[in-house]
Amino acid sequence: MNILFRDSHDTNTTRLIARIVAQDSLPADLPRAVKEGAESSRFSGKAGQLFEGFYEADGAVVRLALAGAGKADAADRSAALEKAGAALSAKYLTSGETALALDAAASGLSAEETASVLLGARLRGWRWDEYRTKLRDEQKKSLAEIVVVGAPSGTDTAWADSEAVAKGVELTRELVSEPPNIIYPESFVARCRERYEGTGLTVRVLDEAEMASLGMGALLGVSQGSVREGQLLVVEWKGGGNEAPTVFVGKGVTFDTGGISLKPPAGMEDMKWDMGGAGAVAGAMLAIAGRKAKANIVGVCGLVENMPDGNAQRPGDIVTTMSGQTVEVINTDAEGRLVLCDALTWVQQEFSPKTVVDFATLTGAMIISLGNEHGGVFANDDALAEKLLSAGKASGDKLWRFPLSPEYDKLIDSPIADMKNVGPRGAGSITAAQFLQRYIEDGVAWAHCDIAGMVWADKPGATWDKGATGYGTRLIDSFVRDSVEG
Ligand code: BES
Ligand code: MN
Ligand code: ZN
């Protein structure tokens, strides 16, 4: 969706006009038909509520949409404005209209408020129709352009910032939406390289031979059952002078069959999005570079495919991780932690970061705990946890904190190796986090976000259609904005 800015409105080119209205205060200057129509349809202007009316002006019919932005003094004002923009996209995306004029002047919006509406519209207007060759006309996306009319000065810079975020979320969604025969470790890397061109991001990749010489036996153990070559993708943004970087690590299992501990067939296709953590990290790096963040940020994606095969790892295998610690692989379906542990060791050795945050679709147990409303966050540092929780609130990618403790940690002790890769049935998300914590060095502030319930949606949400939500990208971007650049 393209966003254009104009001083005045031209009814010859755009018949569809939108105004953003606050709750319980219909503007007095609305055309009578629209005003009475809105009143008689119980339109109150709640966030995301929409009313459409028609009136005649200068011999032409104007289609006027009122999008509710909630109470003007609400604490979640920017989220409400995003919802208003999103409601417009959802309604007109396949309506046949190709352009929508957003009357920013009549809506009385500031530059930042206008950018929020546009961000909501842009995000909700994203669809991945790449493989749908037989869409009927009325199913095809028609809305291609939003013309912002009479926006206050500064809207273009505010929008440039939001657009960088939108592009990041879109990359995340694209990576998550693509099928697993198209996105596998090497093609994930290639897609990122393509999108990062000209952004100032630098990309480095460790292949399996390099990972083997570094001793990443856990990551490689997962990858060994696949004909696809595993990759460690390393993306760097240097916008912050000489300070140690903040590092984000993503689980990128491009398909998780479970391996020899094979998953049941029903719903296995969902495991194409088991790279959602890596997708969030990859998209966030694009956002961070796009808005030229004043910080040093590294994004690392551990990319593998978890397949059953004659060469696949077996339950009972013992692998030696890069840290030197050994792991008894009880269940080959608990592969995410095996990928992450080596990636976590490597980033600490390579970058000596003060802060490391990982993102992973790590456990089904997290979906049992929190459903699809919050990601779970675990942290060895209260200040870091607080910052992530507030970034969650600010971005709409909400988090909820879970505990870590020695009692949970001992549940993954193994009689034959340093640890096993699964604990008992209870507290499955926590024992997974305890496993990761065993790879964190003293003095490093670390958090783990289990986002299994968040990267894919069965129904449309505030600013996404069903499918890939893009969760995590804005969370990382907000965290960097408020707590690293801050
Ligand atoms: N990728 C899955 C977790 C998952 C499940 C994410 C459903 C999203 C939706 C992970 O690799 C996995 O299989 N975890 C196992 C761990 C168990 C074997 C200890 C799980 O959650 O069942
Ligand atoms: Mn698994
Ligand atoms: Zn997995």
Side-chain angles (χ1 to χ4, degrees):
M1 184 133 27
N2 283 323
I3 312 286
L4 308 172
F5 295 93
R6 296 247 171 81
D7 292 336
S8 62
H9 185 242
D10 177 2
T11 36
N12 291 322
T13 55
T14 331
R15 164 185 49 190
L16 171 62
I17 303 178
R19 282 175 68 159
I20 308 301
V21 301
Q23 194 168 333
D24 300 327
S25 52
L26 274 184
D29 67 337
L30 289 175
R32 188 174 155 210
V34 175
K35 186 158 196 294
E36 290 187 10
E39 279 161 356
S40 64
S41 358
R42 292 186 164 165
F43 174 84
S44 65
K46 282 203 205 83
Q49 200 186 9
L50 207 95
F51 174 80
E52 171 185 78
F54 292 81
Y55 66 95
E56 219 179 296
D58 307 326
V61 171
V62 178
R63 190 173 186 180
L64 180 62
L66 306 179
K71 294 243 159 63
D73 56 357
D76 57 351
R77 173 92 174 137
S78 65
L81 289 159
E82 285 180 22
K83 275 191 191 157
L88 290 166
S89 273
K91 166 111 177 142
Y92 296 109
L93 201 62
T94 58
S95 64
E97 301 285 359
T98 55
L100 176 151
L102 174 66
D103 194 337
S107 304
L109 298 176
S110 71
E112 276 68 32
E113 289 171 333
T114 308
S116 292
V117 173
L118 293 172
L119 180 56
R122 167 82 172 245
L123 290 176
R124 185 62 181 83
W126 185 91
R127 284 197 357 192
W128 194 243
D129 287 340
E130 201 66 16
Y131 303 104
R132 309 192 64 182
T133 68
K134 293 187 191 299
L135 283 180
R136 282 177 275 115
D137 270 354
E138 67 271 23
Q139 296 175 308
K140 282 188 188 145
K141 186 167 159 171
S142 61
L143 189 66
E145 189 169 278
I146 295 182
V147 183
V148 188
V149 182
S153 73
T155 306
D156 46 352
T157 33
W159 170 242
D161 191 273
S162 300
E163 189 180 26
V165 175
K167 285 181 174 165
V169 174
E170 288 165 357
L171 173 58
T172 304
R173 288 179 181 174
E174 177 181 328
L175 290 164
V176 168
S177 301
E178 284 281 24
N181 58 331
I182 300 295
I183 286 294
Y184 46 88
E186 285 174 315
S187 62
F188 184 109
V189 169
R191 188 71 60 93
C192 288
R193 279 195 198 277
E194 207 178 285
R195 292 306 146 83
Y196 291 162
E197 220 152 283
T199 58
L201 288 167
T202 55
V203 174
R204 240 194 306 165
V205 182
L206 305 192
D207 62 16
E208 288 196 349
E210 286 162 290
M211 291 192 275
S213 63
L214 288 161
M216 295 190 185
L219 185 152
L220 291 170
V222 177
S223 192
Q224 79 189 30
S226 171
V227 296
R228 308 290 193 190
E229 159 110 4
Q231 309 267 280
L232 194 77
L233 168 65
V234 186
V235 187
E236 289 178 70
W237 172 253
K238 294 202 179 80
N242 291 325
E243 60 192 59
T246 299
V247 178
F248 299 97
V249 177
K251 169 182 173 183
V253 176
T254 60
F255 195 73
D256 180 13
T257 63
I260 296 299
S261 312
L262 194 63
K263 287 181 181 294
M268 201 203 273
E269 69 280 5
D270 281 351
M271 286 300 105
K272 75 169 183 181
W273 48 260
D274 206 19
M275 34 56 68
V281 170
M285 292 309 293
L286 186 62
I288 285 161
R291 60 177 190 77
K292 307 224 173 330
K294 291 186 179 54
N296 292 334
I297 307 294
V298 177
V300 170
C301 300
L303 298 163
V304 299
E305 189 182 51
N306 188 22
M307 297 291 272
D309 174 80
N311 192 45
Q313 99 179 324
R314 293 148 290 256
D317 281 4
I318 295 177
V319 295
T320 303
T321 63
M322 184 181 174
S323 71
Q325 301 178 90
T326 57
V327 181
E328 182 189 11
V329 179
I330 298 293
N331 188 323
T332 65
D333 196 11
E335 85 296 340
R337 63 200 76 181
L338 297 171
V339 173
L340 288 172
C341 70
D342 280 337
L344 288 168
T345 300
W346 186 78
V347 300
Q348 290 169 95
Q349 291 193 6
E350 182 74 11
F351 298 106
S352 309
K354 286 204 214 59
T355 307
V356 178
V357 184
D358 74 73
F359 288 84
T361 49
L362 205 61
T363 64
M366 188 50 80
I367 310 180
I368 304 298
S369 297
L370 292 176
N372 313 106
E373 300 302 328
H374 290 83
V377 58
F378 302 80
N380 66 1
D381 182 287
D382 291 342
L384 175 58
E386 280 309 318
K387 287 172 188 166
L388 284 163
L389 291 169
S390 31
K393 287 192 185 121
S395 65
D397 290 349
K398 287 174 289 173
L399 287 171
W400 196 264
R401 191 171 181 190
F402 277 70
L404 291 164
S405 81
E407 293 76 20
Y408 290 115
D409 185 67
K410 70 170 190 278
L411 298 177
I412 53 170
D413 285 338
S414 158
I416 185 170
D418 296 334
M419 69 199 80
K420 49 189 181 180
N421 77 330
V422 295
R425 216 170 90 82
S429 305
I430 306 176
T431 49
Q434 294 293 163
F435 182 97
L436 298 177
Q437 192 178 20
R438 292 191 180 204
Y439 296 85
I440 302 303
E441 289 155 23
D442 286 346
V444 176
W446 160 77
H448 156 59
C449 302
D450 190 336
I451 62 172
M454 303 308 289
V455 313
W456 193 263
D458 295 333
K459 51 181 175 26
T463 54
W464 56 89
D465 201 347
K466 61 182 186 320
T469 60
Y471 180 94
T473 314
R474 297 184 68 185
L475 174 66
I476 295 173
D477 180 68
S478 285
F479 174 80
V480 168
R481 212 182 270 269
D482 298 336
S483 298
V484 186
E485 294 181 79

